[in-house]
Amino acid sequence: MTLAQQVLQQLINGIALGSVYALIALGYTMVYGIIRLINFAHGEVFMIGAFAGYFIITLFNIPIVPTLILAMAFCALIGIVMERLAYKPLRNAPRIAALMTAVGLSNLFQNLMVYFKAVGASPKAFPRVIDISRYEVMQDVYLTSDKILTLVVAVLLMVALQYIVHNTKMGKAMRAVSQDKDAAQLMGINVNTTISFTFALGSALAAAGGILYAVSYGKIIYNMGSMPGLKAFVSAVLGGIGSIPGAVVGGMILGITENAISAAGYSMLRDAVAFAILIIILLIKPAGIFGKNVREKV
Amino acid sequence: MKKKLSVLLAVVLLVAAALAGCSGGGGGNDVEDEDVIKIGSVSPTTGPVATFGQSVLDATKLAFEEINAKGGVLGGKKLLLLNEDNQSKGEETGAAFRKLIEQEKVVAILGSVTTGDSLIGAPIAQEAKIPMLTPTSTAPAVTEVGDYIFRACFLDNYQSEAMATFAVEELNAKTAAIIKQSDSDYSVGLAEFFAKTFEAAGGKIVAEESYLESDIDFSAILTNVKAAKPDVIFLPAYYDTVGPIMQQARAAGIEAKFLGVDGMDSSELFSLAQGAEEGAYFSNHYSPAADVELVQHFLKAYEEKYGKTPDALAALAYDAAYIMAQAIDEAGSTEPQAIRDALANISYTGVSGNVTFDENRNPVKPIWVNVIKDGKYEVAKVVEP
């Protein structure tokens, strides 16, 4: 393999990983956009999505696309319930209370999964739902079918999200609530429904990310959501939290950067670099790449 | 009035029953002391390494049952196993060893399972001068604690050396890549010894990559390994990371042969590697494919009793239990000092081969190199010490 071939292969690896980060980051960013909450339990929704996919496939033995849809629906439900039970009562509480609740929820979800005998603490192999075949892009550079699936599904979902947010009534309501909750309510928008919908949407995307991740890398475990969850958070901040295109771009940049670091032989510094990026972006451009510099109103 | 009376009666009855229970229990113990020999074991059957602890405990129980069914030791005395579940936690481990030694007055201890736990228990056993035989703790430091501490498994460096030599001599490997788990001392140590032996034998390490236990995506480091074109890839880690690495390596188009170590031995490997494990070689403490009567007996008995194939931990624990029984027999008494001396001079043939102890109380015994063929283990080579 020449250097150029290696660079191209690592770029492909990075984009595949980045698109999973982007799917999770979208949930972070939408929830932040609408209720100014960093939902740290979001990484666990990603994990639950992967496990939901695992159980759907092992129990019903159905192909990947219906599995994706079912698992996304299940996680959308989890997202709604999570918001109603944990965050809604705290909507007018200090922001730190909701943040701590999110951290607590994250722990709760992980430990619940360990508690369930069917999941447990040891890793599980994700069933092989698609044949992993290789397509040669150029000599020695491959696109595998799982990576193609990841990219295609991620792009489709992002396009769908874009459509929902900009071309539907619910999307309009979401944008209105994120601008001014009280004014939106005065205009007759059901704020509770809108917030629930946002959680459902974000959680469904995380579930899709979880399944794509599991199909690609073959292993699922109860704590698989914590690292990708944090990385997706970094992606969302990098792109500008609250901005939907920002989450996608942030995810891609982070995925590619991580692969570049590993490719250069510093795989041990990969996580450290991801969080160094977070610190640097917060110091230099806290609003992120796509973020607007909103001044706090007094 | 009637109610009061019945309450009084109930209290009297309860007290009487409790007293009877006490004396009965006490009396039973006195009798027991004559006929049974108490052996302690510290295996975590809950907590993070519960599966390891359960394997060890199951196999130990099986061995004790067999020994007792054959008439026990010292001409008719039965072995009594007292297990303490230490949950693989430091404070629980210390308490478990103290309880076994001080309250239960065991004559010897089998355990603990992990190196970390054994390092906590060993000084306690050494101070009380109770012989301790850990079936599975591989770090050199464990037996260095003192002359009462033994182990039934070989040290990590032996298997690295065996695999490096095997790669050069049997597989004609000229180049190797190492993919190690850098947050595991076990993995880092094995990688280091492998590199040393492989290079001393004339081979070349063309790539050395690291990952963390929590990593799931290995595509970046595997692309580096692929570019280095190694003949073999050494994967010193447990099945839970080795399986996905193998699967992702084959998906990335890497054709090199895989070499692994005892941590790879798990039925879970097959589902995680999804077929990529075919043709992989790994060193282990025994081989279920060995054409040895004792091995086949052990497999059959274990499967009948527990409904699953024993792993290497179970084989080691089974051997450790028999070694301890033989040592007590040869000591001719239950004096801890006599048992220790008998252990030091023992020569035992078990599931993992012929075992003797060297002057550092580490076993001298063969290493089994297994190869995975059609989803089953086969013996590729037996490396004699």
Side-chain angles (χ1 to χ4, degrees), chain A residues 18-19 21-23 25-26 158 235 239 243-253:
Chain A
S19 53
Y21 287 163
L23 282 177
L26 283 169
M158 287 167 198
S235 310
S243 152
I244 289 176
V248 177
V249 172
M252 290 298 175
I253 293 177

Side-chain angles (χ1 to χ4, degrees), chain B residues 9-327:
Chain B
L9 206 70
V11 168
V12 168
L13 274 173
L14 269 177
V15 169
L19 282 174
C22 268
S23 65
N29 273 343
D30 288 342
V31 179
E32 269 176 21
D33 282 347
E34 298 295 314
D35 288 341
V36 305
I37 298 169
K38 285 184 183 172
I39 313 263
S41 103
V42 182
S43 294
T45 51
T46 59
V49 291
T51 54
F52 297 168
Q54 197 63 50
S55 274
V56 166
L57 185 60
D58 285 349
T60 313
K61 278 185 182 157
L62 174 67
F64 274 34
E65 274 172 25
E66 288 179 0
I67 294 164
N68 287 338
K70 278 183 256 170
V73 292
L74 295 176
K77 291 192 180 174
K78 304 274 189 240
L79 294 174
L80 178 67
L81 181 68
L82 299 168
N83 183 57
E84 288 290 319
D85 173 14
N86 63 332
Q87 301 167 32
S88 202
K89 283 184 191 157
E91 64 278 15
E92 300 283 339
T93 309
F97 273 84
R98 287 214 173 77
K99 185 180 168 199
L100 288 171
I101 293 169
E102 287 159 17
Q103 292 176 29
E104 303 287 356
K105 309 249 182 268
V106 298
V107 299
I109 291 176
L110 294 167
S112 186
V113 175
T114 67
T115 288
D117 292 348
S118 290
L119 279 173
I120 293 167
I124 301 171
Q126 177 66 30
E127 204 194 330
K129 296 209 181 307
I130 295 292
M132 162 177 156
L133 171 61
T134 166
T136 54
S137 303
T138 50
V142 176
T143 47
E144 283 165 9
V145 168
D147 58 348
Y148 276 75
I149 316 298
F150 297 77
R151 88 175 88 225
C153 52
F154 44 65
L155 295 165
D156 286 343
N157 55 338
Y158 291 147
Q159 41 175 347
S160 273
E161 286 161 15
M163 288 315 284
T165 314
F166 179 80
V168 172
E169 288 177 2
E170 309 284 327
L171 305 176
N172 295 318
K174 306 267 184 298
T175 53
I178 297 175
I179 305 179
K180 65 182 183 215
Q181 183 187 324
S182 59
D183 55 351
S184 150
D185 289 345
Y186 165 76
S187 187
V188 173
L190 284 165
E192 198 179 300
F193 286 116
F194 181 88
K196 223 182 265 173
T197 316
F198 193 76
E199 285 183 333
K204 193 164 177 270
I205 305 292
V206 288
E208 188 160 0
E209 297 289 334
S210 306
Y211 64 91
L212 297 172
E213 193 190 1
S214 56
D215 285 355
I216 295 181
D217 168 21
F218 302 102
S219 53
I221 55 174
L222 286 171
T223 304
N224 288 353
V225 168
K226 191 183 173 194
K229 291 198 169 58
D231 293 333
V232 293
I233 300 175
F234 184 54
L235 301 166
Y238 285 102
Y239 68 90
D240 60 338
T241 53
V242 169
I245 291 175
M246 287 177 166
Q247 186 259 323
Q248 291 176 35
R250 288 288 183 254
I254 295 175
E255 312 279 343
K257 289 191 173 95
F258 296 124
L259 304 175
V261 289
D262 58 346
M264 216 175 97
D265 180 25
S266 165
S267 51
E268 276 292 301
L269 178 81
F270 296 92
S271 53
L272 285 166
Q274 302 188 340
E277 75 285 356
E278 186 68 17
Y281 296 90
F282 72 100
S283 53
N284 207 352
H285 304 270
Y286 92 115
S287 173
D291 190 20
V292 178
E293 208 190 316
L294 186 59
V295 175
Q296 295 310 321
H297 159 79
F298 166 63
L299 283 173
K300 201 165 149 259
Y302 190 95
E303 268 162 25
E304 264 172 25
K305 192 163 159 63
Y306 302 111
K308 57 183 179 189
T309 317
D311 51 17
L313 294 150
L316 287 169
Y318 185 80
D319 273 358
Y322 267 100
I323 290 172
M324 190 56 85
Q326 186 176 328

Side-chain angles (χ1 to χ4, degrees), chain A residues 10 13 126 134 142 219 267-268, chain B residues 182 210 220 223 226 251 274:
Chain A
Q10 295 288 18
N13 296 340
F126 198 79
R134 268 179 290 142
Y142 294 104
K219 180 174 120 175
S267 55
M268 297 330 296
Chain B
S182 59
S210 306
T223 304
K226 191 183 173 194
Q274 302 188 340

